Amino acid sequence: MAAYIMAQLIYFTAQAITLLILAYAILSWVAKPWNQIRLFVERISEPLLAPIRRVVPLVGMVDISPLVLILLVQLLSRILIYIIYAVL
């Protein structure tokens, strides 16, 4: 039972981070820079994206750090859930 709860917590956290980063990417395209929702989402997302931006270069004029972060979060969550079920 504890393994299931821990796995669900990891899963929902990963999904929340993924949705936050997707919202960040979409708002950066459509919302004005002074939009309050966009500013709020940026304030939360930037600490997660900044380390990736230092490592991953721009592809042309496109910042792919949100995509890299989503892939890393999903991969890490799957690995952690697998470990939880394998150990417990």
Side-chain angles (χ1 to χ4, degrees):
M1 184 67 171
Y4 176 75
I5 293 171
M6 287 173 49
Q8 288 297 310
L9 181 63
I10 291 169
Y11 174 77
F12 286 125
T13 303
Q15 295 307 312
I17 292 171
T18 300
L19 288 174
L20 176 76
I21 299 304
L22 284 173
Y24 169 81
I26 292 170
L27 287 173
S28 71
W29 293 333
V30 297
K32 296 188 177 4
W34 57 85
N35 183 300
Q36 293 300 312
I37 296 171
R38 178 179 172 175
L39 292 173
F40 175 73
V41 171
E42 281 180 3
R43 228 175 288 132
I44 295 171
S45 324
E46 281 302 320
L48 299 172
L49 291 168
I52 295 172
R53 284 194 179 120
R54 280 182 250 147
V55 177
V56 177
L58 292 176
V59 176
M61 293 297 292
V62 178
D63 179 17
I64 62 168
S65 60
L67 176 63
V68 172
L69 179 60
I70 289 172
L71 291 173
L72 288 173
V73 165
Q74 293 297 317
L75 179 66
L76 182 62
S77 71
R78 289 175 190 256
I79 290 170
L80 288 174
I81 290 171
Y82 176 78
I83 290 171
I84 287 172
Y85 282 126
V87 172
L88 298 178

